[in-house]
Amino acid sequence: MDGGTEVAARMAWRRLAAATMTAAAAVAVSLVLRASWRRGGLSLDDFGVALLAFYFALPAVAILGLPLFLILRALRWVRWWSCASAGALGGASVVMFVSGASAWQARDLPVWCVVGIVAALAFWMTVREKPALARA
């Protein structure tokens, strides 16, 4: 590998790592905002909950979201809507894995699909190529 190709590959992996962390942060913020909306306001405890949610969301995004994105990229299907669909699938699979598809968690399936969509769109916005004019 020549120097330019190696630098480009390193930059691509850094962008994927940043996108993974951004998506995990989007999951944490989404879950905290949902909980605070149901309660009627933010509390100081929500910041700790956000950190805990990020701690668990990061491996979930790395295990589910990153491979889904790499599959979409290999198929050349990386668009905002395909990433959103993959995020909904990832969110649904998380709730099915965590709850074992029990009936009491089935009502949370749409919420987790929306959280997956938010995370996937945050991932897509972080990893996508910016237009040349935006870089200047």
Side-chain angles (χ1 to χ4, degrees), residues 15-58:
R15 189 178 297 161
L16 286 174
T20 302
M21 293 183 72
T22 302
V27 169
V29 169
S30 298
L31 293 175
V32 167
L33 288 178
R34 178 180 181 260
S36 65
W37 178 64
R38 291 179 74 168
R39 261 195 332 269
L42 279 172
S43 73
L44 193 57
D45 293 337
D46 289 332
F47 296 106
V49 171
L51 289 175
L52 186 65
F54 178 80
Y55 177 76
F56 286 106
L58 188 59

Side-chain angles (χ1 to χ4, degrees), residues 5 9 15 27 39-40 43 55 69 74 80-82 84 87 90-91 103 123 134:
T5 307
R15 189 178 297 161
V27 169
R39 261 195 332 269
S43 73
Y55 177 76
F69 176 79
W80 71 267
W81 51 268
S82 61
F123 189 101

Side-chain angles (χ1 to χ4, degrees), residues 70-91:
L70 293 175
I71 289 169
L72 288 175
R73 190 175 72 176
L75 295 171
R76 298 185 190 273
W77 290 354
V78 177
R79 306 286 186 273
W80 71 267
W81 51 268
S82 61
C83 288
S85 299
L89 177 67

Side-chain angles (χ1 to χ4, degrees), residues 9-27 54 57-58 61-62 66 69 118-128 130:
R10 201 173 320 136
M11 292 296 287
W13 281 111
R14 285 182 184 160
R15 189 178 297 161
L16 286 174
T20 302
M21 293 183 72
T22 302
V27 169
F54 178 80
L58 188 59
V61 170
L66 187 57
F69 176 79
V118 167
L121 290 177
F123 189 101
W124 174 77
M125 289 180 68
T126 304
V127 80
R128 71 187 172 109
K130 311 294 190 281

